Amino acid sequence: MSKSPLDERSRWIARRRLWIVFALVTVAIATVAFLVAGDAGRSRAIAAMRARAADAGTLALAILRGELEKQRALPVILARDPDVRSALRGGGTHALDLKLEAIARETRAAVIYVLGKDGVAIAASNWREPTSFVGNDYAFRDYFSGAVTGGTAEQFALGTVSKRPGLYITSRVDDGGEPLGVVVAKVEFDQVEADWRALGGQTYVVDRRGVVLLSTVTDWRFETETALSPQAAAEIRQSLQFGAAPLTLLPLRRDGEIVRGTGNAAGTHVASRIPIPTTDWQLEVLMPVGAAIRDEQVRLQTLVALVLMPGAAIGAFALRRRQLNLARRTAEARVKAELERRVAERTLALAGANDRLVEEMAERTRAQERLSDAREELAKANRLATLGQVTAGVAHEINQPLAAMRTYAENARAFLVRADASGADGALARIVGLTDRIGTITDTLRGFARRGGGPHGPVDLREAIDGALMILDAALRHAGVVPTLPAPAEPVFVLARLVELEQVLVNLMRNAVEAMAETQDGRAPKLAIDVAIRSEQVDIAIIDNGPGLDGAALAALFAPFRTTKPRGLGLGLVISQDIVTSFGGTLSATSRPGEGSTFTISLKRAA
């Protein structure tokens, strides 16, 4: 029976409707998949950029804290300086101007100046400049009143003379419990902000009121995160803390996890905020995320398209095959061959796309490895910088053990020439002991550079004295000095750390030997170690008959970088005093010119 034109048209309409339904379903699935991929891409890009902002915030915080900790020690040390006290008592100030100028140049402080107890600057590192602080009254500044009442203070403000912002760090100078004046160091953060710019994004610091203090965007400085009350704004302007800054709002608007900005920060960003320890400041890093969102959405949507294309092709193939089953056998064979050819082409295209994805993933892995290498190099540079700081101390402490090792090595060689195996073995054993001692000393000095040496406990005083004498054995014999040692009835224990106590004893006895070597009156050098027990305290006295010290030298004995030795650093007694103080004890000295000196270590007695 022949097919009527009406039946043929009906079948054609049915096939067409089936294809239309298939197309609509495919478009709907693709649309939903693209929307889901876009949302996932946005979330992944924001998460990745937030992690990058957190990493940048950690690095920025480390840079800022490094600068702060370096500068905070300046006023504290200078408050103990004899020249500062002399100037505040009415002495000359020119020498102090020169000293402050040199210290500011070496430490990269913006300016260092000394205020009398009335708040007037008597000396400053910028005394040569037209904008010198000398003679200016700073009693109205909070950092002055805070130091007078609390001992130390910090205030971020705009300079009234220089008109440059910075952090003012102050320390009070006391004289018998009464304030003499205040030492001020101003720190500017231009280099810190420059280092922040290298991290990418925008970085800024706000105080507890939300006022921007530091920023990689200069126009943001002294703007606020939230509107200040009229009273708070008036108080800030009256104090001249930020000069005539208008205290306008930052051009930023927070929209959930996104920060939208205008001007220099136009676009969308993610933020990472970190509190800054030892201050009431907070550091925030803004990373642009708009381009990252677009890139991640395009990448995921491309991946979805690559996944959907085989599905669509398979669906079309199944539909087409169902229709071809109604056609002639020959036509079915031709259509099947054509479909197989098209599937092969699509499979080849997918394979190529897959290879490109694998290459992109490999490139991403290589980039991560390069980033890890760069971070490791940064950590290595930091460790090398720390090693440089303690090198002087290590060389200072191991010089005597090295000299003793050389002497014992020469003795061992002499014993071997005389075939005295026992004597050679003894000398070599002493060398082994000294190498262990050098290792222990370097470990201790490294711990001291980290401002921590572990807990202290009972230490046998005789063991500490014997260890120090072993290190100084060669030097004592070379100088012809036979120490007079205490002979206690029973062991005496003190609260300390063994190696660091030996370190202090070696330093004091070496100083005594070097001082007696300078004596030219023909007297035989005498070195005595005396131990006195007073209830819960033990006094260890190092006594020599050297040339002694006059009153001026004795007064500056424990001041940093003050020494009477031609090649001395002026740090040995300062380090020794800090070590004894960490034990809860004291280090003092008495001396009379021409009669020698006595250094006394007072420690708590241990059970």
Side-chain angles (χ1 to χ4, degrees):
M1 185 174 67
S2 62
K3 299 178 181 179
S4 67
L6 183 58
D7 293 338
E8 186 67 29
R9 179 174 177 80
S10 297
R11 285 192 292 270
W12 180 82
I13 292 174
R15 289 195 298 269
R16 184 177 180 184
R17 285 177 179 173
L18 190 59
W19 279 106
I20 291 174
V21 171
F22 174 79
L24 291 176
V25 171
T26 302
V27 170
I29 294 174
T31 302
V32 172
F34 270 67
L35 291 175
V36 172
D39 188 63
R42 182 180 186 276
S43 299
R44 292 183 61 175
I46 290 174
M49 197 58 68
R50 185 184 293 112
R52 181 179 171 187
D55 292 341
T58 301
L59 292 175
L61 178 61
I63 293 170
L64 177 59
R65 289 196 66 187
E67 185 67 19
L68 285 175
E69 295 303 326
K70 179 182 71 175
Q71 300 294 347
R72 280 173 173 162
L74 275 177
V76 176
I77 294 175
L78 287 173
R80 300 166 55 188
D81 190 277
D83 293 339
V84 173
R85 295 175 178 273
S86 175
L88 288 171
R89 292 191 185 102
T93 61
H94 182 65
L96 182 57
D97 285 332
L98 294 175
K99 174 181 282 189
L100 296 180
E101 182 181 35
I103 294 175
R105 184 170 54 251
E106 293 296 327
T107 60
R108 295 190 305 176
V111 62
I112 305 172
Y113 52 105
V114 178
L115 307 179
K117 58 185 178 181
D118 57 355
V120 177
I122 64 168
S125 60
N126 62 355
W127 64 278
R128 300 177 186 270
E129 302 174 10
T131 57
S132 170
F133 289 3
V134 177
N136 291 342
D137 187 353
Y138 297 99
F140 69 94
R141 286 292 201 183
D142 290 345
Y143 61 74
F144 173 77
S145 58
V148 171
T149 58
T152 60
E154 293 182 4
Q155 182 187 15
F156 193 97
L158 192 70
T160 57
V161 176
S162 65
K163 303 303 180 183
R164 292 179 57 83
L167 179 63
Y168 294 84
I169 306 172
T170 60
S171 180
R172 187 179 64 205
V173 182
D174 291 329
D175 183 19
E178 294 295 327
L180 277 178
V182 173
V183 178
V184 185
K186 181 183 179 184
V187 185
E188 294 180 359
F189 298 93
D190 293 345
Q191 186 58 47
V192 170
E193 292 172 336
D195 293 340
W196 286 350
R197 292 187 183 96
L199 300 177
Q202 307 295 348
T203 304
Y204 64 93
V205 171
V206 297
D207 63 10
R208 57 183 174 80
R209 296 165 300 190
V211 179
V212 177
L213 304 180
L214 308 174
S215 175
T216 53
V217 181
T218 305
D219 294 341
W220 290 1
R221 189 172 291 140
F222 304 144
E223 293 187 348
T224 62
E225 290 187 311
T226 58
L228 296 175
S229 66
Q231 180 181 357
E235 289 176 355
I236 292 175
R237 291 193 179 95
Q238 185 176 3
S239 68
L240 300 180
Q241 181 179 3
F242 303 130
L247 302 176
T248 55
L249 287 174
L250 278 170
L252 302 174
R253 180 173 58 86
R254 299 186 184 274
D255 184 9
E257 58 187 0
I258 294 296
V259 178
R260 305 186 187 279
T262 59
N264 293 330
T268 57
H269 307 76
V270 293
S272 176
R273 175 162 292 205
I274 307 174
I276 302 174
T278 72
T279 71
D280 58 359
W281 300 352
Q282 295 194 34
L283 182 144
E284 180 152 307
V285 177
L286 299 178
M287 284 291 177
V289 75
I293 291 175
R294 290 191 297 272
D295 293 343
E296 189 65 17
Q297 287 177 332
V298 169
R299 191 183 73 82
L300 290 182
Q301 288 171 348
T302 302
L303 184 61
V304 167
L306 293 176
V307 173
L308 289 180
M309 284 174 63
I314 292 173
F317 174 75
L319 180 60
R320 181 66 174 169
R321 184 171 181 175
R322 181 178 180 277
Q323 293 177 342
L324 289 176
N325 285 335
L326 303 176
R328 295 189 304 266
R329 191 179 298 273
T330 54
E332 180 182 4
R334 289 195 301 269
V335 171
K336 182 179 179 181
E338 178 65 18
L339 286 175
E340 289 177 349
R341 183 185 66 80
R342 293 174 63 186
V343 169
E345 291 176 353
R346 291 180 182 274
T347 302
L348 181 62
L350 286 174
N354 185 63
D355 291 341
R356 289 193 296 273
L357 284 176
V358 171
E359 178 60 28
E360 290 177 2
M361 293 173 64
E363 179 61 28
R364 185 182 183 91
T365 301
R366 289 192 292 271
Q368 291 290 343
E369 291 175 353
R370 289 194 294 270
L371 177 60
S372 298
D373 292 341
R375 288 178 177 171
E376 179 61 26
E377 288 298 321
L378 179 61
K380 181 179 178 182
N382 185 52
R383 292 195 296 270
L384 289 176
T386 302
L387 178 61
Q389 295 175 3
V390 302
T391 298
V394 172
H396 188 69
E397 295 300 333
I398 70 173
N399 188 41
Q400 291 296 342
L402 288 176
M405 288 172 63
R406 177 182 178 89
T407 301
Y408 287 128
E410 292 173 351
N411 291 344
R413 184 166 61 184
F415 283 132
L416 290 174
V417 171
R418 295 200 299 267
D420 185 350
S422 175
D425 182 68
L428 292 174
R430 297 296 290 274
I431 292 175
V432 172
L434 286 171
T435 59
D436 292 339
R437 177 63 58 192
I438 290 175
T440 305
I441 288 174
T442 56
D443 288 342
T444 300
L445 287 175
R446 184 166 57 252
F448 182 74
R450 292 195 299 267
R451 298 192 179 273
H456 55 270
V459 172
D460 188 342
L461 187 56
R462 185 67 191 204
E463 182 181 355
I465 294 174
D466 290 343
L469 291 174
M470 181 187 72
I471 295 175
L472 291 172
D473 182 63
L476 292 171
R477 288 190 287 103
H478 179 74
V481 176
V482 178
T484 301
L485 304 179
E490 58 183 17
V492 177
F493 290 87
V494 295
L495 286 177
R497 289 183 287 272
L498 176 60
V499 175
E500 295 186 44
L501 180 56
E502 290 179 356
Q503 186 177 334
V504 174
L505 291 171
V506 167
N507 192 20
L508 296 179
M509 287 190 282
R510 183 177 58 242
N511 288 347
V513 171
E514 292 175 355
M516 291 185 292
E518 298 175 0
T519 305
Q520 304 294 329
D521 57 3
R523 288 183 297 167
K526 293 181 180 180
L527 176 65
I529 303 174
D530 183 46
V531 176
I533 302 175
R534 296 185 296 145
S535 183
E536 298 301 320
Q537 180 174 308
V538 178
D539 294 339
I540 306 104
I542 311 299
I543 308 167
D544 66 68
N545 66 340
L549 300 169
D550 57 23
L554 192 62
L557 200 58
F558 296 103
F561 309 110
R562 300 290 292 271
T563 180
T564 59
K565 300 177 183 179
R567 292 182 296 177
L569 294 175
L571 292 175
L573 288 177
V574 175
I575 293 175
S576 297
Q577 187 183 50
D578 288 342
I579 291 174
V580 174
T581 301
S582 72
F583 297 158
T586 60
L587 175 60
S588 59
T590 59
S591 181
R592 297 183 64 180
E595 298 182 10
S597 302
T598 299
F599 285 81
T600 303
I601 305 169
S602 298
L603 298 173
K604 296 178 181 178
R605 188 178 183 184

